[in-house]
Amino acid sequence: MQTERPFVMSIAGYDPSGGAGLLADIKTFEQLTVQGLGVCTAMTVQTESKCLSLEWQPLVTILSSINILMKNYPIKAIKIGVVKDAEFLIEIIKTIKLNNSEAIIVWDPVLKSTSEFSFFDLKTIPQLKNVLSQIDLLTPNYNEYQVLQENRLLGNAENSCSMLIKGGHREDKPGTDILRKNGIEILIEPNDKNQVFYPKHGSGCVLSSAITGHLAKGENLETACRKGKSYIEKFLTSSPTLLGFHY
């Protein structure tokens, strides 16, 4: 007998390979038994190894989609993925807050694809300072964290916005994530350091959406991050190819 599932929304790009973005988020939500809803921010032409083109959806269409979904479903948590620039993100968060000020917001700041295709307009990063306090969790990978830090965005943000720095791109401690909240730093290390993990297209999307799903189910932030870590490790061991399986 199916019990009621909490509603979770992904606001992200469409990747036709299904490995990243909106499709990967929905696959993750389904495995975590939360009810996934989706709003498309961009249409891409890509495979698991390269991105050829990107077409942004009109902001008015994105905001309209968020409005209709939030007015009709009790959405508990929202994962935001690829967005065009600071204006996009600011307006998206404003719309979310107007509909439900209690909704949990996770932003995975996708700045570039693994194949170096640029997404977010880096010139607008300074405009994000006033909006980060409205985000519950920021999930940059190690390279994205460095970019945000170079732009002096994280000075005050760390006092108001929790952050999980994903360790997949770290050279010193591969796979070790750092959770920062309320001035406290928590290391989240691989569950099995001897396990062989295969690189995966969309692994950052999957981790952040898994965390969002667990937050929607009522887990606290640290537990949600640790359970998200377990989910992504299964994903990373699911196949030797760049496209992973969800189970």
Side-chain angles (χ1 to χ4, degrees):
M1 187 71 168
Q2 176 64 58
T3 57
E4 186 177 350
R5 297 184 176 194
F7 283 91
V8 185
M9 181 164 62
S10 169
I11 303 171
Y14 176 77
D15 166 13
S17 79
L22 199 54
L23 291 179
D25 293 346
I26 296 298
K27 291 176 186 179
T28 304
F29 294 155
E30 189 67 20
Q31 290 300 319
L32 295 180
T33 65
V34 296
Q35 188 69 29
L37 306 173
V39 174
C40 182
T41 58
M43 300 293 292
T44 70
V45 176
Q46 65 177 297
T47 67
E48 73 276 16
S49 59
K50 58 185 175 181
C51 185
L52 302 175
S53 69
L54 176 146
E55 180 181 350
W56 294 107
Q57 297 295 97
L59 181 57
V60 64
T61 302
I62 295 169
L63 301 182
S64 177
S65 298
I66 294 170
N67 268 319
I68 192 67
L69 290 176
M70 295 196 75
K71 286 183 182 345
N72 282 275
Y73 304 101
I75 297 171
K76 291 194 172 183
I78 297 153
K79 177 264 174 90
I80 303 173
V82 64
V83 289
K84 182 179 180 181
D85 52 28
E87 180 192 0
F88 258 57
L89 184 65
I90 290 167
E91 291 301 319
I92 285 169
I93 291 176
K94 186 187 299 182
T95 302
I96 291 170
K97 291 295 185 180
L98 285 172
N99 280 283
N100 180 3
S101 61
E102 300 300 315
I104 299 166
I105 300 176
V106 176
W107 180 37
D108 187 30
V110 183
L111 305 182
K112 286 184 177 182
S113 70
T114 305
S115 57
E116 292 299 306
F117 190 95
S118 293
F119 294 126
F120 191 87
D121 184 354
L122 297 180
K123 296 190 299 292
T124 70
I125 282 182
Q127 300 174 34
L128 295 173
K129 286 186 178 179
N130 296 328
V131 79
L132 288 187
S133 62
Q134 300 179 63
I135 295 173
D136 295 281
L137 180 66
L138 192 66
T139 61
N141 63 34
Y142 202 66
N143 295 335
E144 290 160 347
Y145 169 73
Q146 300 283 18
V147 171
L148 297 176
Q149 195 173 43
E150 287 167 6
N151 281 270
R152 300 180 180 177
L153 188 66
L154 302 178
N156 296 323
E158 291 183 10
N159 298 323
S160 56
C161 176
S162 296
M163 178 166 52
L164 181 74
I165 306 167
K166 298 175 290 194
H169 292 78
R170 292 184 64 174
E171 295 182 359
D172 55 341
K173 292 183 178 179
T176 296
D177 304 332
I178 301 173
L179 175 61
R180 291 180 178 170
K181 62 171 187 172
N182 302 323
I184 300 171
E185 190 171 283
I186 301 167
L187 294 182
I188 302 179
E189 297 183 345
N191 290 296
D192 183 355
K193 294 182 179 180
N194 295 317
Q195 178 68 57
V196 176
F197 297 115
Y198 301 103
K200 288 285 175 287
H201 172 56
S203 56
C205 302
V206 172
L207 176 57
S208 58
S209 57
I211 292 169
T212 306
H214 282 299
L215 289 170
K217 295 171 80 170
E219 302 287 3
N220 64 47
L221 185 57
E222 182 180 347
T223 301
C225 288
R226 291 190 181 280
K227 288 190 173 183
K229 182 77 164 178
S230 296
Y231 187 95
I232 194 63
E233 288 183 344
K234 289 170 65 178
F235 182 72
L236 292 172
T237 59
S238 63
S239 80
T241 71
L242 285 173
L243 284 178
F245 305 131
H246 295 254
Y247 61 93

